[in-house]
Amino acid sequence: MLKQLFALKNISMQTSITIARSTSGSRCSTSQRIKRLFALKNTTENYLVVMNDHRRRLCAASSKQSKTKKKSDGYFCSSSLNSSSSSTTTTTTTMSEESQRASLSESYSSTDLKDCLEREKIMALPENALILGIETSCDDTGCAIVTKSGKVISQSLKSQVSIHEKWGGVVPTLAQEAHKNAIDDCVKEALDLARCKIEDLSAVAVTVGPGLAMCLRVGVRKAQKISAMAGIPIVPVHHMEAHCLVARVKDDEKENEGGSARAEEVAKFPFVALLVSGGHNVLLKVEGVGKYTILGQTLDDAIGEAYDKTARILGLPVGGGGGPALEALAKEYEIDVLEKLREKARAEIERDDDVTDEIFEKIVQKKVKNPIKFTVPLKQRKTCDFSFAGLKTNVRMAIEKNLGTIDEQTKQFVLPSEDWDGIENREMRASIAHAFQDAAVKHLEDRVDRAIRWVKDDGLEPTCLVVAGGVAANQKIRKSLSRIAESHSIITVFPKPAWCTDNGVMVAWAGVERLNLGLCEKPVSKSSDAWIKSEHDRDCDVHLKPRWPLGDLDVRATSDVRSMKVAKISLPLSN
């Protein structure tokens, strides 16, 4: 029977669809299912059926892509985000038998042939199909509309910087209220800029985790309303996967140093990814959409949190994150202090004729150093894990010693006031900021270098290094990690700065990537509570994943993360 299928001359593998069906409870034999596929010859173009040793039945099919933008009625594709696939948007790679079974058994709850056809319709959406992305995981409300081809049509972002600035950090209740007040306007603005209506959308993607549960809920409830209103599928998105995959979106507006437009590099599977933000610090081996292996993660604090804390006790403005202010102060010290000392040293040092420029510069760098120096974290631990708690403590002690005052009762150094006038002890504060950033960046360099070597040791040749997340906007980090990637003969891909922080574009694109694999949920029914009840009704059940690992840990990674609570953690995305 299989020989007859393979003998068909019109079989091609432009795209592939995989359906798993357990042998137990089967209502029809393999031959009957094949006959039903033959009967669909007038409806679908390509067929390939593969039987997997009586335990799984796999079906692959693709339909001719629609030439007009026409939405299908009644999508029915119940699927879990806990699915694994090594497929990309343009090619399909065969997975191992074991991983196929695990993925398929977790992904699909229905085996009716109708599901196959509905998934075909979803995967065959035209290139100009519009997907709305909604992001409300923390303190920014973001919406964007992206086409299936990856063209960003519109985006809207409502910042909460002014709300949280005076509190020195994100206040969950205030963030939730701000999301509620902004979500409608944010969606409307994205639609207006794209000159379309909700009825023109083909799908809606929304972040369901990780993040603040009360904030995630606002975005998910809005997505449910839109899904029911337009009758379109809804795509649950992992927040960190969205950060990772946005590196695969072309930034056509990028300009080079000369001012002329140039095409931006995009990430191609497989690659190594470093995700760095205020709440996350993780190194990943990325083999495909939904297929991630955690090579290393922070054992305590994320780098973004360390930047914010250091900036705060230095008296720098932390509204919207203290990272940019600290980076600017560190750069000021590099240019105004260290570089002037280096110029003086270059003039004073006698240079022999046989000394090259490179060696001479190393001599100068060694002679001129920042008097404040912090130990690079985990230098003796040969893993890809991160730790910033010790560095934060060292910074605090340095600030107490150099900028603090002595308490008359305890005779201990105390921190200076955070209300800095921007003038007092500026050079010392800049010196500490420079030393902190130097140690933090060297820590990243060491871990990234080892992660790339690990991936190559696994027999995988990464195409690039992706650096994403809010901290990826830091220019010193970009330059340093680009040098590491270059030493391994791979390129570095950075999303544009506006896409490094939380935004709707990354969520919409993650939705596109999953729709290309047929991974989505059916439209919300207008008879369900999700449609009937108000968006602010707390009685409406919403499935969120505020604590959700992106993948399984590599066997070489440290498994005991000291700051992570084990309660209420969802299964990893790739399980």
Side-chain angles (χ1 to χ4, degrees):
M1 189 66 70
L2 286 176
K3 290 181 179 179
Q4 295 177 5
L5 283 174
F6 279 106
L8 291 177
K9 294 182 179 179
N10 63 342
I11 289 179
S12 64
M13 290 299 292
Q14 297 172 357
T15 57
S16 71
I17 301 175
T18 309
I19 295 179
R21 181 167 192 163
S22 173
T23 302
S24 59
S26 176
R27 294 185 179 181
C28 61
S29 66
T30 301
S31 60
Q32 288 175 321
R33 290 176 59 78
I34 292 175
K35 288 178 181 178
R36 292 174 68 183
L37 282 174
F38 273 119
L40 294 174
K41 189 172 183 180
N42 294 329
T43 307
T44 58
E45 182 184 17
N46 306 315
Y47 307 99
L48 180 63
V49 177
V50 180
M51 293 180 292
N52 201 341
D53 71 0
H54 303 292
R55 294 187 61 187
R56 295 288 186 270
R57 292 184 176 89
L58 305 178
C59 163
S62 66
S63 63
K64 191 173 183 179
Q65 197 173 54
S66 175
K67 295 182 179 179
T68 59
K69 185 182 176 187
K70 180 179 179 181
K71 296 192 293 293
S72 301
D73 294 327
Y75 289 114
F76 183 77
C77 183
S78 297
S79 65
S80 168
L81 271 185
N82 291 338
S83 61
S84 174
S85 174
S86 59
S87 301
T88 68
T89 58
T90 57
T91 63
T92 301
T93 304
T94 303
M95 299 165 56
S96 68
E97 181 179 334
E98 183 179 352
S99 61
Q100 272 187 335
R101 290 175 179 172
S103 170
L104 296 172
S105 61
E106 289 289 331
S107 298
Y108 308 109
S109 58
S110 172
T111 57
D112 192 274
L113 198 59
K114 177 182 176 182
D115 294 352
C116 176
L117 297 178
E118 298 302 338
R119 292 187 66 232
E120 286 184 39
K121 295 176 184 178
I122 293 170
M123 295 172 67
L125 286 172
E127 292 295 297
N128 63 347
L130 302 178
I131 287 81
L132 170 68
I134 299 177
E135 160 63 28
T136 61
S137 65
C138 190
D139 59 340
D140 284 325
T141 309
C143 295
I145 295 177
V146 176
T147 66
K148 185 184 175 184
S149 63
K151 182 179 180 181
V152 179
I153 303 299
S154 67
Q155 52 186 316
S156 174
L157 185 68
K158 306 297 181 183
S159 176
Q160 299 180 12
V161 172
S162 59
I163 297 175
H164 303 289
E165 185 173 11
K166 64 180 179 180
W167 302 100
V170 177
V171 182
T173 52
L174 296 180
Q176 180 193 36
E177 191 62 29
H179 283 307
K180 289 180 179 178
N181 295 333
I183 189 66
D184 289 340
D185 290 341
C186 198
V187 171
K188 184 179 184 301
E189 183 177 354
L191 291 170
D192 290 345
L193 290 173
R195 297 181 180 180
C196 68
K197 300 178 180 179
I198 288 180
E199 292 75 14
D200 297 323
L201 300 174
S202 296
V204 55
V206 61
T207 305
V208 299
L212 300 173
M214 60 178 62
C215 296
L216 290 167
R217 183 184 179 88
V218 176
V220 173
R221 289 293 290 120
K222 184 64 179 179
Q224 288 177 332
K225 291 288 187 180
I226 293 173
S227 173
M229 184 184 303
I232 56 178
I234 185 169
V235 187
V237 169
H238 190 293
H239 179 75
M240 297 310 292
E241 181 181 45
H243 271 303
C244 187
L245 295 180
V246 76
R248 287 167 51 78
V249 180
K250 278 190 177 182
D251 179 14
D252 295 329
E253 298 178 356
K254 191 81 174 182
E255 293 187 351
N256 59 22
E257 295 179 357
S260 59
R262 65 180 175 85
E264 182 72 355
E265 293 284 357
V266 297
K268 297 180 178 62
F269 299 125
F271 58 84
V272 176
L274 172 66
L275 306 183
V276 280
S277 66
H280 303 277
N281 214 122
V282 60
L283 266 167
L284 299 164
K285 176 173 67 176
V286 182
E287 299 178 74
V289 177
K291 193 173 184 182
Y292 309 95
T293 302
I294 298 176
L295 302 174
Q297 58 188 334
T298 181
L299 304 179
D300 37 61
D301 302 321
I303 186 172
E305 181 184 354
Y307 263 90
D308 290 344
K309 182 64 175 179
T310 300
R312 185 176 299 112
I313 59 180
L314 281 173
L316 301 175
V318 295
L326 190 145
E327 180 188 4
L329 189 61
K331 184 177 181 180
E332 176 185 310
Y333 185 79
E334 176 73 24
I335 296 174
D336 296 346
V337 179
L338 293 182
E339 190 54 41
K340 289 182 179 179
L341 291 175
R342 292 187 189 114
E343 289 179 3
K344 184 178 179 181
R346 292 186 188 103
E348 294 176 350
I349 297 175
E350 293 184 4
R351 178 175 177 178
D352 297 333
D353 295 337
D354 59 344
V355 175
T356 63
D357 292 342
E358 184 179 356
I359 295 177
F360 181 72
E361 192 60 31
K362 287 182 178 180
I363 295 173
V364 173
Q365 294 284 344
K366 189 174 182 180
K367 186 177 180 63
V368 178
K369 294 182 179 180
N370 186 343
I372 304 294
K373 184 177 181 180
F374 299 121
T375 303
V376 177
L378 302 181
K379 192 66 176 177
Q380 302 304 317
R381 186 177 293 190
K382 305 304 180 183
T383 67
C384 295
D385 298 307
F386 303 91
S387 173
F388 292 95
L391 180 57
K392 280 175 26 179
T393 301
N394 291 338
V395 170
R396 184 185 183 92
M397 292 172 61
I399 292 175
E400 288 177 348
K401 180 181 178 180
N402 294 282
L403 299 172
T405 57
I406 298 178
D407 187 274
E408 295 181 358
Q409 295 182 349
T410 63
K411 305 301 180 182
Q412 299 281 332
F413 281 105
V414 294
L415 290 171
S417 171
E418 294 181 4
D419 296 327
W420 179 43
D421 60 6
I423 301 174
E424 183 182 6
N425 295 319
R426 186 175 184 87
E427 183 173 321
M428 178 54 66
R429 292 175 192 264
S431 175
I432 294 173
H434 182 276
F436 162 79
Q437 180 165 259
D438 187 61
V441 172
K442 285 181 179 178
H443 186 33
L444 293 181
E445 290 176 350
D446 178 62
R447 290 1 228 178
V448 169
D449 179 69
R450 183 172 291 108
I452 296 174
R453 285 190 276 111
W454 278 10
V455 172
K456 289 187 175 182
D457 290 344
D458 291 340
L460 202 65
E461 283 297 328
T463 62
C464 63
L465 167 67
V466 169
V467 185
V471 182
N474 184 293
Q475 293 302 311
K476 182 174 179 60
I477 290 177
R478 287 184 170 225
K479 291 179 181 179
S480 299
L481 295 184
S482 293
R483 288 196 298 268
I484 296 297
E486 187 178 352
S487 69
H488 289 277
S489 301
I490 61 176
I491 63 171
T492 312
V493 178
F494 299 95
K496 62 186 295 185
W499 295 347
C500 284
T501 54
D502 293 352
N503 62 89
V505 172
M506 67 181 195
V507 179
W509 176 250
V512 171
E513 296 267 31
R514 290 195 161 270
L515 283 170
N516 285 332
L517 300 176
L519 300 176
C520 62
E521 294 182 357
K522 61 183 180 180
V524 174
S525 171
K526 288 191 176 181
S527 62
S528 66
D529 288 345
W531 168 256
I532 297 173
K533 293 186 176 180
S534 166
E535 292 181 31
H536 307 313
D537 193 333
R538 294 184 58 84
D539 293 334
C540 183
D541 184 33
V542 177
H543 184 55
L544 304 173
K545 296 188 176 184
R547 308 187 68 240
W548 190 13
L550 186 53
D552 290 317
L553 277 176
D554 188 277
V555 293
R556 295 159 290 192
T558 302
S559 58
D560 54 333
V561 181
R562 294 192 295 273
S563 66
M564 181 180 287
K565 299 177 182 178
V566 297
K568 297 182 180 179
I569 297 181
S570 301
L571 290 175
L573 178 69
S574 59
N575 276 8

